[in-house]
Amino acid sequence: HYLANGAVIVPVGGDAADERALETLRALHPHREVVGVPGGTIAVGGGGPHCITQQIPMGVVLPRPGPSGAITASGRTTSGD
């Protein structure tokens, strides 16, 4: 799970034990909203809550996608922008 400002983000897998885990975290973090998110979706998109919430150091400029929306590993868009 991941502790965010005012929330706890928890990957869930559609298992019967998910709700018990969420309730346990609600008891442990009474002043935070506990939010279950599809674990499979997170795994495909980045690996886990910690992986997909990595900080970006101040001053780092991220590449912006061009009209096609795709960015290559070099940071250039596939349309040559």
Side-chain angles (χ1 to χ4, degrees):
H1 63 278
Y2 174 77
L3 298 177
N5 293 338
V8 181
I9 309 302
V10 185
V12 294
D15 189 271
D18 287 346
E19 192 54 41
R20 183 173 177 200
L22 294 172
E23 287 302 323
T24 299
L25 288 167
R26 287 184 185 109
L28 292 170
H29 302 282
H31 301 292
R32 294 179 188 259
E33 179 182 4
V34 176
V35 180
V37 295
T41 302
I42 293 174
V44 170
H50 184 264
C51 297
I52 65 172
T53 58
Q54 288 297 301
Q55 301 79 17
I56 300 171
M58 188 174 4
V60 172
V61 178
L62 298 176
R64 294 195 138 151
S68 69
I71 299 175
T72 65
S74 69
R76 295 186 178 151
T77 59
T78 56
S79 63
D81 295 339

